[in-house]
Amino acid sequence: EEDTIRLYHTIYEPTYNKYLNKYNPENDADIIVDTNIIENPRIIDSKKPLIIIECNKCQKQFPTNIRILRCPNCGGDLEFEIKGQIDFEKIINKDENSMWRYKDILPIKKEYIVSDHEGNTPVIYLEDISKKYDIKFYVKLESENPTGTFKDREASFVISRSKELGQNDIVLQSTGNTGIAITYYSSLAEMRSYFFGPLLSDYKLIMPNKSKNAKIILVDGDPVDIKSLATDFSLMHNFPKISPFYERCEANVTLGYEIAEAMLNNKLPEF
């Protein structure tokens, strides 16, 4: 045993380190995986941008071709993670006038994108408020989106994900704006949708158009009742109940991308 240890330190270890210093195989690898935990190997880097789903709690990773609400391993929250280096300015598709100008770092293949020019909304400078509070106060006009709110970003993303995953019948519950947006985008995608919402929100039921396959079910009850009915309906008919929180968060990341792009190009309104 002592001889083995001596051989390791005097011959193997120096030889291996010499090899690493000469060839640097880590720089040549397309994907680098950490296998220190055998049960849960993790991608830690990639030569090209690689998007995965990762648990915030246990760091278990999943491919993007599945839709799960929470980590099946520990119940933790999920998020999309980009592994690899990105040149932000180079990935912008400047011919695209929507949030999908950043599609190269969004986890959906372009052929499945359902869009109606949501995003890429204007920014205005509020001079009076800025002077009053001695700050530079800007507002992004998400009211310019098709149904009038930032929820259109979420709807475009979620419906595109549903289309990519081959889901044609979708169920959701909402207090209003999210449901209207997803109903609208599911109509664009020619998908069947079932939106469960509160009767008190009927004043919000305004959208550019709605197909006959989009159903709005108003419930005279509280949010817990509505969630229960939507869940029971989806289980009864084996329809997916959509709109995972991390998907909606990823859609709203495009707000940050747009602001970053404007700042990089000095395109924020002057004050």
Side-chain angles (χ1 to χ4, degrees):
E1 185 177 347
E2 290 180 1
D3 289 341
T4 302
I5 294 173
R6 189 180 303 110
L7 283 171
Y8 176 84
H9 288 300
T10 58
I11 298 177
Y12 176 76
E13 191 172 43
T15 303
Y16 184 61
N17 287 333
K18 184 178 179 181
Y19 165 78
L20 291 178
N21 291 332
K22 182 177 180 180
Y23 295 104
N24 202 357
E26 199 169 277
N27 287 346
D28 296 328
D30 291 316
I31 298 175
I32 300 173
V33 180
D34 178 7
T35 58
N36 287 323
I37 304 174
I38 301 300
E39 297 83 4
N40 185 20
R42 299 178 61 250
I43 296 170
I44 58 175
D45 200 3
S46 175
K47 186 169 288 187
K48 294 181 180 180
L50 178 67
I51 305 174
I52 57 173
I53 299 171
E54 186 170 278
C55 174
N56 286 330
K57 188 175 180 181
C58 71
Q59 281 75 56
K60 190 172 180 63
Q61 296 174 344
F62 308 91
T64 60
N65 64 347
I66 60 173
R67 173 176 268 163
I68 48 179
L69 296 177
R70 289 188 171 275
C71 175
N73 184 55
C74 71
D77 293 327
L78 303 170
E79 66 180 351
F80 289 104
E81 280 281 340
I82 301 174
K83 302 297 181 181
Q85 298 300 310
I86 297 168
D87 186 327
F88 179 66
E89 291 189 276
K90 286 185 178 179
I91 62 92
I92 300 171
N93 181 356
K94 296 180 180 177
D95 293 329
E96 177 62 54
N97 187 29
S98 77
M99 74 177 203
W100 295 102
R101 62 199 283 109
Y102 313 106
K103 64 178 178 290
D104 287 349
I105 51 174
L106 293 171
I108 294 172
K109 294 177 181 178
K110 62 182 180 180
E111 61 264 32
Y112 297 106
I113 292 173
V114 180
S115 175
D116 188 20
H117 307 292
E118 60 293 320
N120 206 27
T121 50
V123 175
I124 61 171
Y125 175 65
L126 299 184
E127 184 175 2
D128 291 344
I129 293 178
S130 297
K131 287 181 178 179
K132 181 176 180 179
Y133 294 102
D134 194 26
I135 58 174
K136 297 169 185 175
F137 197 95
Y138 294 89
V139 173
K140 198 152 176 43
L141 297 182
E142 291 294 278
S143 56
E144 297 290 307
N145 285 315
T147 72
T149 76
F150 71 95
K151 300 293 187 177
D152 289 334
R153 294 177 188 266
E154 300 178 8
S156 177
F157 187 93
V158 168
I159 292 300
S160 297
R161 279 273 290 165
S162 297
K163 186 176 179 181
E164 185 175 42
L165 295 171
Q167 297 174 337
N168 294 315
D169 298 90
I170 55 176
V171 180
L172 73 150
Q173 90 268 352
S174 161
T175 58
N177 291 334
T178 300
I180 292 303
I182 287 183
T183 297
Y184 174 62
Y185 279 85
S186 66
S187 296
L188 293 181
E190 298 181 346
M191 297 167 62
R192 290 181 292 272
S193 64
Y194 304 86
F195 157 39
F196 287 76
L199 182 61
L200 290 173
S201 294
D202 62 345
Y203 68 94
K204 295 183 179 180
L205 304 184
I206 302 171
M207 69 186 81
N209 70 349
K210 183 175 85 67
S211 77
K212 62 182 180 180
N213 290 324
K215 308 299 182 183
I216 298 176
I217 301 99
L218 297 182
V219 181
D220 188 5
D222 60 38
V224 174
D225 297 327
I226 297 167
K227 181 177 181 179
S228 178
L229 282 171
T231 301
D232 290 346
F233 180 84
S234 67
L235 291 172
M236 183 184 302
H237 296 281
N238 197 27
F239 294 159
K241 190 165 176 287
I242 65 162
S243 205
F245 184 66
Y246 66 96
E247 291 188 6
R248 294 161 61 187
C249 289
E250 188 69 9
N252 291 321
V253 165
T254 58
L255 275 161
Y257 293 157
E258 289 170 17
I259 293 170
E261 182 184 353
M263 293 177 69
L264 286 170
N265 292 288
N266 295 315
K267 289 186 177 179
L268 286 177
E270 294 186 4
F271 46 86

